[in-house]
Amino acid sequence: MEQTGADTHDPLLKFQQQNGTQPSGRPHFCPRCDVALREIQVEQVRTPRLTLDKCPRGHGLWFDADELPQLLSMFPPESGTGKTIGYLNELFTTKSKP
């Protein structure tokens, strides 16, 4: 988020700031430090609930298949997520070789 120059009102920042909860089932582990990840529940009106995994040591959010596009689709550009969405689209867009 710091690399994007995200607005301090960017709603995506709130997920970085949440502590999350200990999962009830078998935990997933942070790929960087091998500590059990915490779960963050994302709920928006008219969208399915989404559960994100967060490293409690600050190594970021970890996404399962299709979770990142699902999260980004919950927030229109006017919500303040424009710079973050643009950066992530650029980062993860497959570019064909000339």
Side-chain angles (χ1 to χ4, degrees):
M1 297 273 193
E2 290 174 6
Q3 292 178 3
T4 69
D7 184 303
T8 56
H9 295 91
D10 185 331
L12 297 174
L13 286 173
K14 73 179 181 178
F15 304 118
Q16 282 291 95
Q17 298 164 348
Q18 291 181 18
N19 289 328
T21 59
Q22 190 69 35
S24 59
R26 185 174 169 189
H28 295 106
F29 296 93
C30 176
R32 294 192 60 200
C33 68
D34 207 32
V35 168
L37 296 171
R38 310 280 291 181
E39 291 183 342
I40 297 172
Q41 301 298 320
V42 180
E43 296 185 42
Q44 294 283 36
V45 178
R46 296 183 299 277
T47 61
R49 189 172 89 184
L50 177 64
T51 302
L52 303 179
D53 298 312
K54 179 186 178 186
C55 176
R57 291 189 177 167
H59 293 130
L61 297 173
W62 299 93
F63 298 94
D64 295 335
D66 298 323
E67 286 181 342
L68 181 58
Q70 184 181 350
L71 175 67
L72 296 178
S73 71
M74 292 178 172
F75 300 98
E78 61 273 8
S79 68
T81 62
K83 288 184 179 181
T84 302
I85 290 172
Y87 175 79
L88 292 172
N89 281 331
E90 183 178 312
L91 185 66
F92 293 113
T93 299
T94 304
K95 296 177 183 169
S96 58
K97 295 182 181 180

